[in-house]
Amino acid sequence: MAVVTMKNLLESGVHFGHQVNRKNPKMNKFIFAERNGVNIIDLQKTIVAIRNAYDAVRETVSGGKSVLFVGTKKQAQSTIQKEAERCGMFYVNNRWLGGMLTNFATIKKSVAKLKRIEKMEIDGSFNNLTKKEVAELLREKQKLEKNLGGIKEMKDLPGIIFVIDTCKEEIAIHEACRLGIPIIAVVDTNGDPTGITYPIPGNDDAIRSISLFTQVIANAVVEADHGDGLKIIEDLQDEDEASAENGANPYQDRDEEITDYANYVPKEETKPETDEDIEHPLIDEDSLYTD
């Protein structure tokens, strides 16, 4: 079961938006307050959005469709690749090529070319080519792998896409909207939630925040056909109860409560000896009686 707690969201900095002067007015409904010139995101609304996105991914994967993870900004690249590979889905983490969705037939030709070069490298076809030709093919393979490696096995359009940073991935969102593909996106206070099927208000710049959102979506894929769904703990009291259910005692550091005073015997507290507690003789008797 995937678990998201309010403590996780706070520690990951999900609630930190952009400066007030960079705010998109369309995000006003997701903003809780302003502190020191920075917009603070309403985490109650973030939690609701996370649950909706999680359920949407589970339903999509259960229906036999795929999920495409999109995040090309530097902070998101490694997390997007790691979580997409963990759940066996597809990703774009280097550069969104125009037409990746709307012109998917052409993209599939480029993917076929990449696979052909990889096959030539394995079956020994490079032995029949000159060094210059081999070098050119390897350069082309590296370029194709960098941009298309994450969708190399994607045979059809995805059933839903997950996007980090709506401002940077504007082209990907526009293509998905044209094709009617549902979109889950982390939208910061400077972003535009228009056209996003499942907007998740949150920090899209912090690495820990990006990791948290991406892990939730990846867990939804893994638990699509099995698992109890998403559990959200909104306050610390519920978090203590959850710890107790898992076998951990949240009150283990507290003193034991006394219920039977008739048979109660107080425990003797032993204090470590200090230099002040050790008696030092005022006169050294050995030195006094020696000649």
Side-chain angles (χ1 to χ4, degrees):
M1 175 190 293
V3 179
V4 176
T5 69
M6 184 65 75
K7 184 178 180 182
N8 293 147
L9 297 177
L10 291 169
E11 288 179 346
S12 301
V14 172
H15 58 298
F16 290 121
H18 282 274
Q19 294 178 343
V20 175
N21 57 4
R22 297 184 60 189
K23 179 183 70 174
N24 189 322
K26 295 180 181 179
M27 288 296 292
N28 282 337
K29 59 183 178 181
F30 298 115
I31 296 175
F32 175 74
E34 174 193 332
R35 296 286 186 275
N36 299 323
V38 175
N39 287 311
I40 304 299
I41 296 169
D42 189 345
L43 291 184
Q44 295 292 341
K45 294 182 178 179
T46 300
I47 285 176
V48 173
I50 289 174
R51 186 185 296 278
N52 293 337
Y54 182 90
D55 293 340
V57 171
R58 288 191 67 179
E59 183 179 351
T60 300
V61 176
S62 298
K65 297 181 181 179
S66 61
V67 179
L68 178 62
F69 291 72
V70 182
T72 61
K73 65 195 304 180
K74 189 175 181 181
Q75 302 98 304
Q77 287 178 343
S78 60
T79 301
I80 287 290
Q81 179 176 354
K82 176 184 173 183
E83 294 300 326
E85 290 177 347
R86 177 172 72 87
C87 66
M89 287 297 164
F90 313 110
Y91 65 92
V92 176
N93 70 335
N94 182 63
R95 179 189 168 198
W96 182 269
L97 303 178
M100 269 189 167
L101 296 178
T102 53
N103 196 15
F104 188 61
T106 302
I107 296 297
K108 287 176 71 174
K109 292 179 182 178
S110 298
V111 171
K113 188 175 185 180
L114 170 61
K115 291 182 177 180
R116 187 168 61 251
I117 296 175
E118 289 177 340
K119 184 179 178 182
M120 291 174 63
E121 189 176 11
I122 294 172
D123 63 14
S125 298
F126 279 3
N127 297 332
N128 301 324
L129 303 175
T130 64
K131 290 184 178 180
K132 184 177 180 180
E133 291 173 332
V134 170
E136 289 178 355
L137 287 173
L138 290 177
R139 275 197 300 270
E140 189 169 5
K141 175 199 166 187
Q142 184 179 8
K143 182 178 178 182
L144 291 171
E145 180 69 34
K146 195 173 184 180
N147 294 320
L148 304 175
I151 60 171
K152 192 163 50 176
E153 303 301 329
M154 190 171 75
K155 296 179 173 59
D156 300 308
L157 290 172
I160 194 168
I161 70 170
F162 169 68
V163 177
I164 297 290
D165 195 338
T166 56
C167 296
K168 187 171 180 61
E169 312 302 341
E170 187 177 359
I171 299 175
I173 291 172
H174 179 67
E175 291 188 20
C177 287
R178 283 188 61 185
L179 296 175
I181 299 174
I183 305 166
I184 299 171
V186 179
V187 188
D188 213 326
T189 56
N190 67 331
D192 185 358
T194 305
I196 308 300
T197 318
Y198 303 99
I200 304 176
N203 188 342
D204 63 6
D205 294 308
I207 295 176
R208 293 181 67 181
S209 175
I210 293 171
S211 298
L212 187 147
F213 288 127
T214 311
Q215 286 172 9
V216 169
I217 300 302
N219 288 339
V221 175
V222 174
E223 299 173 0
D225 297 324
H226 56 84
D228 299 326
L230 179 67
K231 182 175 182 179
I232 294 179
I233 303 176
E234 299 188 22
D235 54 50
L236 295 178
Q237 183 178 357
D238 291 341
E239 189 169 351
D240 287 342
E241 293 174 0
S243 299
E245 290 176 3
N246 293 330
N249 182 9
Y251 306 104
Q252 59 186 353
D253 294 331
R254 300 185 184 182
D255 294 334
E256 182 180 356
E257 184 180 358
I258 303 168
T259 56
D260 186 5
Y261 285 93
N263 299 319
Y264 170 65
V265 178
K267 296 180 181 179
E268 296 183 0
E269 295 184 1
T270 56
K271 297 181 179 179
E273 290 187 350
T274 61
D275 291 340
E276 296 177 357
D277 298 330
I278 302 174
E279 296 183 359
H280 297 284
L282 299 176
I283 301 175
D284 187 355
E285 297 179 358
D286 293 336
S287 61
L288 183 63
Y289 296 104
T290 55
D291 294 335

